[in-house]
Amino acid sequence: MLDGSRREFADPVTGAELAAAIGPGLAKAAVAVKIDGRPRDLATLIDHDAAVAIITRDMPEGVEILRHDAAHVMAEAVKELYPETQVTFGPATETGFYYDFARATPFTPDDLERIEERMRDIVRRDEPINREVWDRDKAVAFFDRIGERYKAEYIGEIPPEQEISLYRQGNFVDLCVGPHLPSTGRLGQAFKLMNVAGAYWRGDPNKAQLQRVYGTAWPNQKELDQYLFRLEEAERRDHRRLGRELDLFHLQEEAVGSIFWHPKGWKLFRIIEDYMRRRLDAAGYQEVKGPQLLDRSLWETTGHWENFRENMFIAESRDEKILALKPMNCPGHVLIFRNRLRSYRELPLRLAEFGSCHRNEPSGALHGIMRVRAFTQDDAHIFCTADQVTLEAIAFCELLLSIYRDFGFADVAIKFADRPPHRTGSDEVWDRAEHDLKAAVEAAGLSYTVNPGEGAFYGPKLEFVLRDALGRDWQCGTLQLDFNMPERLGATYVGEDGGRHVPVMLHRAILGSFERFIGILIEHYAGNLPLWLAPVQAVVASITEEASPYAEEVARELTAAGLRAIADPGNEKISYKVREHSLAKVPLILAVGRREAEQRTISLRRLGSPAQEALALGEAIARLKVEAVPPGCA
RNA sequence: GCUGCCGUAGCUCAGUGGUAGAGCACCCCCUUGGUAAGGGGGAGGUCGUAAGUUCAAUCCUUACCGGCAGCACCA
């Protein structure tokens, strides 16, 4: 058993009987049973000595089974309401489930309501769910006969050694490996249909487009409510909304996929850029700036023309040369590297650029400032010898984690992405690159998971994923090992032996794209940026007009001390000003009235707290100046 | 790019086959108020764009543009 104990039975028992033998509470919470590590239906007969664990509805595996059942119940409801619809796949997801349906007319929101209502009926009916093992040909014939072409097609692709299992609940029969709940009633009512969208059959844009209905499902109502609340919270934090409300940026159709940065948004951008520049300088990088437009021939050499032609912006010069707006910075950096003869003594050479790139992303991919067509990378390329890769990778990981911490992200996961199907370079080169990169991250003492086939076309990569305040994951940083491009572009250095060698190139970014990272920061902090990042750190608000000259003076002194401060001398009540600047998420409000002006003090109020603190002007400035210093900049 | 939905004032949204409305924001005036909305007045819209149907289109139809959700994509 899970707790290490043993239980003996004279005759084989089912998972359900076992759970009941242990206790009625467990029997009720049980959704499936794990036999020798394999999840099975509760009705499965345990006929040998086995390692058995009861899966309950509150365990992650149990929730997954619930969600999978919810998908089946939805399919049953759809088949009852719209018998002409064909079913395809319906798996569990991170927060719920979906099912892809094939039908001529799309579902409407009204249809969703009807389907959800019918699902609730099916749960109330408490239909038994039974597993049946079928002969392969009979199963194909069966699904063909009932008009489920997708199911019939899919059976043909199931490996021959695998059993063909069908699950029956009420009049609904679905091809499925399971496991499933014993009956539909066990699902409970803590689910909700969310939306409809298109999805391709087998994820292939060349195949039929299906109607995907998304739902969410949880072990109980409380968790469902919490989830729905989290969705609302995410909406409140949406960077597109906050970007407008805080007057940071806007987007409009004359520049689809590009950002109009307003003064406050651009200030934030520059604060981050200045911070990154300090960190990179300190870490031994040298900043460069490459050209925006580069000749087509260069992109042909790098392989981008072949691989990403559709996604590049093309321009023509007056002498009819074809140029492309750079979609990435690395070729420029290689050209800087190979502009003159390099010695091994110069390695590792770390060239950094706040590189402005353009990629003609498909219109459906665009999303606020997170996915745009014009963006800025905190990009750098490290040219080094094969022997230096490990130390460089370790140093990079440390720099990255330290920078993430400064921005308030402590929870970082690492993924190792190996060779993709479509790639350049020989298998020998890939073997070595993958081996070296893995060795480096292991040497750095970091753990990682593997992301198969997700590497760049020129080399494997490490992906750094940070988790935000809402528990969402964002892949930002990357470290890519490239044995290919330096060779393609003819970069060499003179080694200790006097011979020419091709350097290894590490592509690396920490924030990824400034635009996207700023979007993440806004959502992570719900717009309440920490003092060092806030575009406006302090507002000095006068309480009466008499005190306005003093408010202006205080703002000037704060500015002189290096703080981003403005005065609000306007003709409004102090409560109005407090509200206005609080909504604008200004971290510090310094209120000054007649009393403060006479005594040369201020009344300090911090965002998120109604508390007030009376301070002498000099002391306030001294303290706030220290507080506002960016991290790593003492 | 694909599927579906959406597009009315700066924002959030009403509304109608007979040339448009609210609240907030904005501007002006009154008010000088001690920590999350003081009062009054004013200005503001080619109803996404273009065709079509109609005596008449913001409203109906079509196409295009843009947005949203998901899919696909993400060097």
Side-chain angles (χ1 to χ4, degrees):
Chain A
M1 303 302 301
L2 201 56
D3 60 5
S5 66
R6 279 185 69 86
R7 279 182 187 255
E8 311 236 353
F9 295 88
D11 298 309
V13 293
T14 65
E17 287 162 351
L18 172 65
I22 297 170
L26 186 64
K28 202 175 158 206
V31 295
V33 59
K34 204 186 234 180
I35 305 169
D36 291 328
R38 294 215 180 94
R40 294 278 188 247
D41 297 336
L42 279 175
T44 309
L45 210 55
I46 306 164
D47 57 4
H48 61 285
D49 287 341
V52 179
I54 305 294
I55 300 173
T56 58
R57 60 188 297 124
D58 47 8
M59 292 165 61
E61 280 173 296
V63 179
E64 192 180 330
I65 292 166
L66 281 183
R67 289 175 177 155
H68 187 185
D69 269 86
H72 276 235
V73 169
M74 174 161 73
E76 183 180 357
V78 167
K79 289 298 286 186
E80 285 186 9
L81 291 165
Y82 314 95
E84 74 288 359
T85 303
Q86 292 187 65
V87 296
T88 68
F89 279 135
T93 65
E94 290 266 305
T95 56
F97 60 93
Y98 64 80
Y99 209 114
D100 287 344
F101 300 101
R103 71 199 305 266
T105 49
F107 289 116
T108 65
D110 288 345
D111 292 334
L112 284 201
E113 273 182 43
R114 288 186 65 196
I115 295 167
E116 187 175 313
E117 224 9 82
R118 183 59 64 99
M119 287 173 70
R120 300 198 185 282
D121 275 347
I122 293 169
V123 170
R124 282 190 284 266
R125 281 184 223 155
D126 197 17
E127 295 167 349
I129 304 173
N130 291 308
R131 183 174 198 267
E132 300 169 11
V133 176
W134 280 49
D135 170 77
R136 182 172 294 253
D137 296 335
K138 281 186 184 157
V140 172
F142 169 73
F143 283 112
D144 264 336
R145 185 166 53 76
I146 62 171
E148 296 287 2
R149 291 185 297 104
Y150 292 90
K151 288 287 178 188
E153 178 190 325
Y154 182 64
I155 294 174
E157 295 177 38
I158 297 176
E161 66 279 7
Q162 201 177 315
E163 245 175 20
I164 303 297
S165 61
L166 273 61
Y167 277 82
R168 187 185 295 274
Q169 58 191 64
N171 292 318
F172 177 64
V173 182
D174 201 357
L175 174 76
C176 187
V177 291
H180 278 285
L181 298 168
S183 67
T184 56
R186 294 287 192 105
L187 173 59
Q189 298 283 359
F191 62 83
K192 181 174 164 39
L193 297 191
M194 305 301 285
N195 57 330
V196 211
Y200 303 111
W201 169 236
R202 322 287 324 259
D204 183 344
N206 299 313
K207 295 201 161 104
Q209 188 151 29
L210 311 167
Q211 298 289 319
R212 176 171 295 179
V213 179
Y214 281 90
T216 185
W218 299 85
N220 54 61
Q221 187 66 34
K222 192 178 157 205
E223 286 185 60
L224 172 62
D225 291 342
Q226 281 171 351
Y227 171 69
L228 295 175
F229 181 78
R230 274 208 306 282
L231 285 186
E232 286 170 25
E233 180 60 23
E235 203 179 313
R236 278 190 287 277
R237 290 169 177 241
D238 191 309
H239 75 280
R240 292 165 297 186
R241 172 204 282 253
L242 287 168
R244 182 179 63 238
E245 288 175 357
L246 304 183
D247 196 17
L248 301 175
F249 57 82
H250 85 271
L251 300 153
Q252 68 179 64
E253 31 177 316
E254 283 76 4
V256 174
S258 296
I259 303 167
F260 293 81
W261 286 105
H262 295 18
K264 286 189 210 167
W266 189 244
K267 178 60 80 176
L268 174 58
F269 192 108
R270 282 181 47 198
I271 291 162
I272 296 170
E273 184 177 328
D274 290 347
Y275 164 82
M276 289 304 290
R277 185 168 278 130
R278 278 195 305 274
R279 297 300 309 260
L280 291 173
D281 284 352
Y285 288 80
Q286 303 178 73
E287 190 175 330
V288 298
K289 198 77 177 173
Q292 285 299 320
L293 285 161
L294 290 140
D295 196 85
R296 165 183 178 165
S297 60
L298 177 73
W299 302 111
E300 285 172 347
T301 311
T302 58
H304 287 93
W305 195 264
E306 184 194 348
N307 288 303
F308 295 102
R309 164 89 185 74
E310 289 302 304
N311 290 314
M312 289 199 280
F313 286 104
I314 309 300
E316 196 179 326
S317 67
R318 46 202 314 164
D319 47 8
E320 292 177 2
K321 282 196 173 182
I322 303 293
L323 304 142
L325 264 172
K326 68 171 174 179
M328 56 188 330
N329 310 298
C330 33
H333 294 181
V334 177
L335 297 188
I336 291 171
F337 179 88
R338 50 158 271 187
N339 178 56
R340 64 170 168 78
L341 209 54
R342 297 285 178 179
S343 154
Y344 74 96
R345 294 170 186 276
E346 293 180 75
L347 306 184
L349 185 73
R350 308 182 191 90
L351 298 181
E353 175 170 359
F354 296 114
S356 170
C357 297
H358 288 79
R359 295 181 185 175
N360 198 354
E361 304 283 6
S363 58
L366 302 176
H367 178 81
I369 66 171
M370 300 264 209
R371 187 86 184 267
V372 285
R373 289 184 176 149
F375 56 95
T376 315
Q377 290 179 316
D378 64 316
D379 202 3
H381 295 89
I382 302 171
F383 297 88
C384 62
T385 68
D387 294 341
Q388 291 168 333
V389 166
T390 305
L391 280 178
E392 285 302 311
I394 293 170
F396 172 71
C397 290
E398 282 169 2
L399 178 67
L400 172 138
L401 293 172
S402 157
I403 286 173
Y404 283 179
R405 269 195 302 276
D406 283 350
F407 281 110
F409 301 106
D411 193 352
V412 183
I414 302 176
K415 290 195 250 176
F416 176 81
D418 60 17
R419 67 191 74 186
H422 188 58
R423 59 179 181 264
T424 179
S426 70
D427 285 353
E428 292 72 41
V429 168
W430 273 90
D431 287 342
R432 173 156 180 220
E434 287 176 359
H435 172 269
D436 286 2
L437 193 55
K438 261 189 202 166
V441 68
E442 280 161 13
L446 299 166
S447 57
Y448 61 90
T449 56
V450 178
N451 206 0
E454 294 293 319
F457 73 87
Y458 49 71
K461 59 185 182 186
L462 291 177
E463 298 170 337
F464 298 86
V465 180
L466 51 84
R467 178 157 291 180
D468 75 6
L470 254 42
R472 298 173 303 181
D473 290 338
W474 303 95
Q475 192 210 304
C476 295
T478 183
L479 174 63
Q480 305 173 10
L481 190 43
D482 185 352
F483 282 107
N484 286 302
M485 201 178 303
E487 183 156 27
R488 277 192 179 226
L489 292 175
T492 60
Y493 65 92
V494 179
E496 219 169 335
D497 58 2
R500 293 280 183 117
H501 303 273
V502 178
V504 179
M505 182 156 91
L506 299 179
H507 305 245
R508 40 108 299 161
I510 293 173
L511 310 182
S513 126
F514 274 75
E515 289 77 2
R516 180 160 171 274
F517 192 77
I518 289 172
I520 294 167
L521 276 178
I522 291 170
E523 300 199 355
H524 176 62
Y525 285 113
N528 302 308
L529 295 166
L531 189 60
W532 74 279
L533 286 169
V536 175
Q537 295 172 313
V539 169
V540 187
S542 58
I543 294 167
T544 69
E545 229 159 324
E546 273 180 273
S548 293
Y550 179 61
E552 309 250 23
E553 185 196 339
V554 172
R556 273 198 306 275
E557 292 208 19
L558 285 167
T559 305
L563 282 135
R564 298 182 287 274
I566 53 172
D568 179 359
N571 170 22
E572 279 299 345
K573 291 197 166 180
I574 190 63
S575 3
Y576 183 91
K577 292 182 183 180
V578 165
R579 175 180 156 81
E580 193 180 20
H581 301 303
S582 297
L583 289 174
K585 302 185 185 293
V586 175
L588 306 168
I589 297 173
L590 285 67
V592 296
R594 185 187 304 167
R595 199 164 64 227
E596 285 80 5
E598 281 167 5
Q599 301 172 354
R600 296 195 63 77
T601 59
I602 56 102
S603 164
L604 178 66
R605 181 192 171 107
R606 290 169 188 272
L607 184 59
S609 160
Q612 297 164 42
E613 192 181 2
L615 289 169
L617 178 57
E619 194 197 342
I621 289 173
R623 270 167 58 173
L624 296 177
K625 187 177 169 177
V626 172
E627 266 185 57
V629 171
C633 188

